[in-house]
Amino acid sequence: MRNLELAKKLAVLGMIFNAGIISEEEYGVTKNRIMMDYNIVSFLNN
Protein backbone atom coordinates (compact mmCIF):
# COMPACT_ATOMS: atom_id res chain seq x y z
CA MET A 1 0.00 0.00 0.00
CA ARG A 2 2.90 2.36 0.76
CA ASN A 3 4.27 1.80 -2.75
CA LEU A 4 0.96 2.96 -4.20
CA GLU A 5 1.04 6.10 -2.02
CA LEU A 6 4.59 6.84 -3.18
CA ALA A 7 3.67 6.31 -6.83
CA LYS A 8 0.68 8.64 -6.55
CA LYS A 9 2.69 11.39 -4.90
CA LEU A 10 5.45 11.17 -7.49
CA ALA A 11 2.89 11.13 -10.32
CA VAL A 12 1.23 14.29 -9.03
CA LEU A 13 4.62 15.93 -8.56
CA GLY A 14 5.51 15.03 -12.15
CA MET A 15 2.28 16.54 -13.43
CA ILE A 16 2.94 19.76 -11.51
CA PHE A 17 6.48 19.92 -12.92
CA ASN A 18 5.32 19.24 -16.49
CA ALA A 19 2.71 21.98 -16.17
CA GLY A 20 5.53 24.42 -15.43
CA ILE A 21 4.28 25.33 -11.97
CA ILE A 22 7.56 24.42 -10.24
CA SER A 23 11.17 24.62 -11.38
CA GLU A 24 13.46 21.68 -12.02
CA GLU A 25 15.33 22.47 -8.79
CA GLU A 26 12.10 22.49 -6.76
CA TYR A 27 11.07 19.23 -8.44
CA GLY A 28 14.35 17.52 -7.50
CA VAL A 29 14.26 18.72 -3.90
CA THR A 30 10.63 17.70 -3.43
CA LYS A 31 11.13 14.31 -5.11
CA ASN A 32 14.11 13.56 -2.88
CA ARG A 33 12.13 14.60 0.20
CA ILE A 34 9.20 12.34 -0.71
CA MET A 35 11.52 9.41 -1.40
CA MET A 36 13.34 9.95 1.91
CA ASP A 37 9.98 9.83 3.72
CA TYR A 38 9.46 6.35 2.26
CA ASN A 39 13.09 5.24 2.83
CA ILE A 40 13.65 4.82 -0.91
CA VAL A 41 17.11 5.67 -2.22
CA SER A 42 16.68 4.74 -5.86
CA PHE A 43 14.28 3.02 -8.20
CA LEU A 44 17.12 1.02 -9.73
CA ASN A 45 17.38 -2.64 -8.75
CA ASN A 46 20.84 -4.07 -8.24
Side-chain angles (χ1 to χ4, degrees), residues 2 10 15-18 22-23 25 29 31 38 40-41:
R2 286 182 53 84
L10 292 177
M15 290 172 52
I16 292 169
F17 174 68
N18 286 332
I22 61 174
S23 70
E25 183 179 338
V29 169
K31 179 180 154 215
Y38 286 85
I40 303 292
V41 176

Side-chain angles (χ1 to χ4, degrees), residues 24-43:
E24 188 171 347
E25 183 179 338
E26 291 170 316
Y27 170 78
V29 169
T30 305
K31 179 180 154 215
N32 288 339
R33 175 62 190 201
I34 291 170
M35 291 179 69
M36 281 179 24
D37 288 346
Y38 286 85
N39 294 322
I40 303 292
V41 176
S42 172
F43 287 118

